[in-house]
Amino acid sequence: MKLVFHRAHPPAGPERDIYVEDGRMVGTSPPGDIPSGWEVVNCAGLWVIPGLVDLWAHLPSPAEAWREDADTLSSAALAGGFTTVCTVTKEHRAESLAGRAAPVRLVPVAAGTHKGHLAELDALRRAGAISYEVEADPGLMRRVLEYGELPIAVRAEDASLAHGGVAHESAMSELLGLPGIPAAAEMVAVARDLLLLKAYGGRLHFAHLSTAGAVEMVRRAKHAGLPVTAAVPIYNLLLSEEAIRHYDTAARLSPPLRSEADRQALIAGVLDGTIDAIVSNHQAVPAEDKDVPFAEALPGAVSLEVLLPAALSVLPADAVLRALVGRCFGLEPEGLVIFDPQAEWEVRSADFRSRGRHTPLEGQRLKGRVVGVMDGGGVLHKHAADSIIATIGGA
Amino acid sequence: MRHLLDLESLSAAEITGYLDTAESMAEILRRSIKRVPTLRGKTLLLLFFEASTRTRHSFELACKVLGADSLALSASTSSATKGESLLDTGRTAEALGVDGVVVRHASSGAPQLLARHLRVSVVNAGDGTHEHPTQGLLDLFSVRGRKGGIAGLRVCIVGDVLHSRVARSAVHGFAKLGASVVLSGPPALLPGRASPAGWPVDLEPDLDRALDGADVVMALRIQKERQEGGMFPSIAEYRARWGIDPARLAKARPDAVLMHPGPVNEGVELAPELMTAPPSLIADQVRAGVAVRMAVLYRLLGGVGA
């Protein structure tokens, strides 16, 4: 398949024609006449950017596929411009790991330990795991740092300090009468794991930071040359704890939405590169676990379909795109995304392709929308009416 | 105004409106025939997911006096299904045509959930560790009755403020009507350590200092599970530091009044001899319950203040 993305332009820069053959970019040129034999995708006024990479989306086990399965997750990813998604599984056996190729490459994050023992870490790596998690135990963390070859994904929440909490511990949680998760729960975990990293080597990736204190510790660790990377979930970047004021269970998230000062520190962390990635932390939660009082609701919200325009509402395009390329796990972007930076739309979760129906952005207006994706196999998926991306047969 | 979910979001005028209406209701309760037809034809569902004696009975009595029908439902709860059955029960009640739902629930925000999903009036009769607005109103009503007003008073609330819905409603109610509030108790049971700016109060863990100049002293019920949860060392140590006896109460102003939402752990948060001593407002608080709840039902269902 031979495609020309005609008059495509990056967020900043001149228009050009991008020639793609079977999913591979084979050349670019200033906009001009198209040679015969090429199908033309008219991208005038639209951005054409590399396929996005998400490092942290929750995929339920096959037994719970009714919450979300690989098909619905992929479909949601594609709608949001993601051609690669790292799926958080709890699988510690290599034979149970299921990756997936086009249209959306699903790359598993495995469980690196199970009931206090090391999983077969090398077998997990060979089976396609991109990273693994370690149970919350400093001794185990040490062993995996010493033994493993992949970066360890860390959720960074001290269980004892976070015990029973459902919201950021603050005047807000106290006024609402909700048990709090103190910022210290995250900072203690980050400090501990950074000390272990320094002592025993290996690589760490903080999968979803939410506090200013943790960002500052990672900043210092990076200056000291430690091999550490970090990510922030899109909603923690976008919203503060103010979103839970009326007990909106769509804003019950893990990590919790924190203070405005934390949010500003997370934005600054993305801007100066302390935070390497913006992640979806996408998690479909069924209505029966959300239409309940706040503290009884399960945490999680869906976000793949809103992430890119939502991130562009708080950060400049170059910082956003730099944070969606999969650098932390050494992934290369696949495919291309066509994005209409001017399109305005209202978030309606009923229209989502994910099975999840909960987002704290429900009803809000976003500017910018993914209108098409060329997946890693070179197949073009159009999301909008033909009038937006006119494909014209080869001249 | 369709719901009463909390005192935090009410204005001083709205709170005073409830208190003034409660005065008229108290007058009805002093008559020999305590019946008015004001809410005849209205039906209320009393949905109590937690045990309650005085709150539930005073709502039932309030309905009777105003001529409304009440339908009581004490739901026993299992933690796995209580949320689901809460909304389902609310929807069923709405379909049956009730005019209002009075709800008590162990989870903070449960009445807000009903208010968001139902079209009927919702009255919060205590939600988790959040608020208990009708208790807050009857506390204000009792103090106003004894002191003549609220503005300018110094109110000292003692005990497990962090887990007390009574304390939250009292803090907002007293602060909005112009009193100043000081909180005292074990540090792990006081709010405001993370960011004190969010609460309109002073914090003073030392009870003797907190009592200095107090016009109103409110003791809260201490739950044994807080001590078992490691939030303070022992009941004996609690009593020694934050228990109120006549000598302690003497640190407050000579005309100070003493309150407690009940039930009291006698000899722990309050010395037994204080229960019926002259400063005690505890009986007034119970008495005020019916009048205040009549006022709430009247203003929400009778179309006043809309």
Side-chain angles (χ1 to χ4, degrees):
Chain A
M1 192 155 171
K2 294 162 79 169
L3 291 172
V4 187
F5 294 85
H6 178 54
R7 299 187 60 191
H9 68 92
E15 288 185 343
R16 61 206 169 126
D17 290 346
I18 303 172
Y19 289 80
V20 175
E21 210 170 338
D22 298 325
R24 286 218 158 118
M25 203 194 294
V26 292
T28 62
S29 70
D33 294 336
I34 312 293
S36 65
W38 292 79
E39 190 178 348
V40 180
V41 184
N42 183 9
C43 298
L46 306 175
W47 297 357
V48 176
I49 55 180
L52 306 178
V53 179
D54 181 32
L55 297 181
W56 200 259
H58 298 268
L59 180 62
S61 69
E64 302 212 302
W66 55 276
R67 292 167 184 261
E68 184 95 291
D69 61 30
D71 288 335
T72 55
L73 185 75
S74 297
S75 187
L78 216 50
F82 290 87
T83 54
T84 304
V85 175
C86 297
T87 54
V88 185
T89 70
K90 292 194 172 90
E91 276 305 336
H92 65 282
R93 290 163 306 188
E95 60 272 23
S96 306
L97 280 189
R100 225 167 104 130
V104 175
R105 177 172 53 160
L106 299 184
V107 191
V109 175
T113 62
H114 181 65
K115 294 185 176 169
H117 291 278
L118 265 59
E120 292 181 335
L121 298 175
D122 195 52
L124 288 172
R125 182 184 61 80
R126 281 185 280 112
I130 194 77
S131 172
Y132 22 65
E133 295 190 76
V134 176
E135 290 159 285
D137 177 298
L140 269 182
M141 177 62 84
R142 169 194 177 167
R143 296 304 173 204
V144 180
L145 283 167
E146 288 173 332
Y147 183 92
E149 291 175 25
L150 297 175
I152 299 171
V154 180
R155 299 197 197 202
E157 184 175 276
D158 181 83
S160 172
L161 283 167
H163 180 71
V166 299
H168 174 54
E169 184 176 281
S170 67
M172 174 77 81
S173 67
E174 290 172 347
L175 284 169
L176 293 173
L178 296 173
I181 302 172
E186 179 171 288
M187 288 152 62
V188 163
V190 167
R192 187 200 76 177
D193 288 342
L194 286 173
L195 288 172
L196 293 169
L197 177 69
K198 190 167 182 208
Y200 299 108
R203 276 186 292 160
L204 282 185
H205 171 69
F206 291 109
H208 48 46
L209 292 186
S210 65
T211 62
V215 173
E216 183 53 29
M217 279 188 273
V218 170
R219 183 175 287 124
R220 286 187 202 166
K222 284 189 163 187
H223 283 160
L226 286 177
V228 59
T229 55
V232 57
I234 179 65
Y235 292 137
N236 294 77
L237 205 51
L238 218 59
L239 302 167
S240 74
E241 59 181 342
E242 195 58 38
I244 71 165
R245 182 175 282 282
H246 302 291
Y247 298 98
D248 179 6
T249 55
R252 159 106 165 87
L253 303 173
S254 174
L257 297 174
R258 295 199 183 269
S259 71
E260 178 61 17
D262 288 314
R263 190 180 81 86
Q264 293 299 337
L266 293 165
I267 289 176
V270 175
L271 283 172
D272 75 4
T274 300
I275 293 177
D276 304 86
I278 301 168
V279 294
S280 71
N281 200 22
H282 178 100
Q283 185 158 27
V285 178
E288 65 183 48
D289 292 318
K290 283 293 193 185
D291 288 344
V292 294
F294 192 89
E296 295 170 28
L298 291 183
V302 292
S303 52
L304 282 165
E305 294 169 66
V306 299
L307 193 152
L308 182 56
L312 290 167
S313 72
V314 289
L315 282 164
D318 59 333
V320 170
L321 297 183
R322 196 172 65 222
L324 293 171
V325 294
R327 209 166 30 172
C328 309
F329 291 164
L331 291 161
E332 290 294 326
E334 289 187 344
L336 293 172
V337 175
I338 309 168
F339 183 77
D340 180 351
Q342 300 304 327
E344 289 198 35
W345 57 292
E346 185 185 315
V347 178
R348 282 191 309 255
S349 60
D351 298 340
F352 282 170
R353 299 188 191 186
S354 164
R355 289 221 172 93
R357 287 287 173 272
H358 296 91
T359 166
L361 298 187
E362 185 74 51
Q364 295 193 24
R365 291 192 71 76
L366 289 176
K367 189 175 178 195
R369 186 160 210 178
V370 172
V371 292
V373 174
M374 183 191 72
D375 68 30
V379 178
L380 189 64
H381 307 263
K382 284 182 266 183
H383 297 340
D386 284 350
S387 56
I388 295 185
I389 322 171
T391 52
I392 306 153
Chain B
M1 232 173 0
R2 196 152 62 91
H3 309 297
L4 177 62
L5 302 177
D6 55 52
L7 294 191
E8 186 188 4
S9 60
L10 296 191
S11 66
E14 286 167 324
I15 292 173
T16 305
Y18 279 117
L19 300 182
D20 292 345
T21 306
E23 302 283 2
S24 315
M25 298 299 167
E27 189 274 317
I28 294 171
L29 292 172
R30 285 192 291 270
R31 297 177 191 170
S32 57
I33 297 173
K34 302 176 179 60
R35 280 289 188 282
V36 289
T38 316
L39 293 184
R40 193 152 64 195
K42 303 277 186 188
T43 308
L44 264 121
L45 179 69
L46 308 182
L47 198 51
F48 278 69
F49 288 87
E50 275 190 339
S52 156
T53 312
R54 60 197 80 195
T55 303
R56 187 177 143 183
H57 288 159
S58 62
F59 268 112
E60 280 178 358
L61 208 50
C63 285
K64 279 200 172 67
V65 175
L66 292 172
D69 294 310
S70 67
L71 197 67
L73 198 127
S74 325
S76 62
T77 61
S78 79
S79 60
T81 59
K82 58 187 172 187
E84 191 187 10
S85 61
L86 168 67
L87 195 49
D88 285 351
T89 310
R91 284 182 172 138
T92 304
E94 184 175 67
L96 289 172
V98 306
D99 299 286
V101 176
V102 176
V103 61
R104 159 159 307 182
H105 198 279
S107 279
S108 303
Q112 284 77 1
L113 179 75
L114 289 180
R116 193 160 52 238
H117 286 90
L118 305 182
R119 289 181 302 276
V120 302
S121 286
V122 176
V123 178
N124 181 1
D127 63 324
T129 55
H130 175 226
E131 281 213 40
H132 192 353
T134 58
Q135 174 78 37
L137 290 174
L138 72 85
D139 289 341
L140 293 168
F141 185 81
S142 306
V143 171
R144 197 173 78 159
R146 181 75 69 94
K147 292 279 182 192
I150 302 292
L153 296 178
R154 177 71 165 171
V155 180
C156 175
I157 303 178
V158 187
D160 183 5
V161 176
L162 197 57
H163 302 96
S164 171
R165 52 195 177 208
V166 173
R168 268 178 196 68
S169 290
V171 163
H172 295 305
F174 280 112
K176 279 172 194 282
L177 295 193
S180 73
V181 181
V182 58
L183 308 178
S184 189
L189 300 178
L190 294 183
R193 289 155 297 138
S195 49
W199 285 62
V201 297
D202 302 318
L203 297 178
E204 178 50 73
D206 183 310
L207 181 56
D208 289 339
R209 266 186 267 169
L211 287 170
D212 186 34
D215 300 288
V216 176
V217 180
M218 180 187 287
L220 301 172
R221 182 177 169 80
I222 192 79
Q223 311 272 0
K224 297 245 179 349
E225 60 260 34
R226 303 297 172 215
Q227 184 258 320
E228 285 153 13
M231 291 183 166
F232 60 94
S234 72
I235 294 291
E237 186 154 316
Y238 182 88
R239 182 173 48 214
R241 292 190 68 182
W242 293 285
I244 296 172
D245 57 19
R248 264 268 168 61
L249 193 57
K251 314 258 182 189
R253 289 172 58 96
D255 57 348
V257 296
L258 180 65
M259 311 179 78
H260 192 292
V264 178
N265 294 309
E266 288 185 37
V268 181
E269 62 257 12
L270 284 186
E273 63 267 35
L274 285 178
M275 297 286 296
T276 51
S280 173
L281 269 185
I282 296 171
D284 300 46
Q285 289 176 273
V286 179
R287 210 160 25 242
V290 179
V292 160
R293 282 160 187 136
M294 284 169 70
V296 168
L297 297 179
Y298 174 70
R299 291 180 75 88
L300 294 180
L301 300 179
V304 177

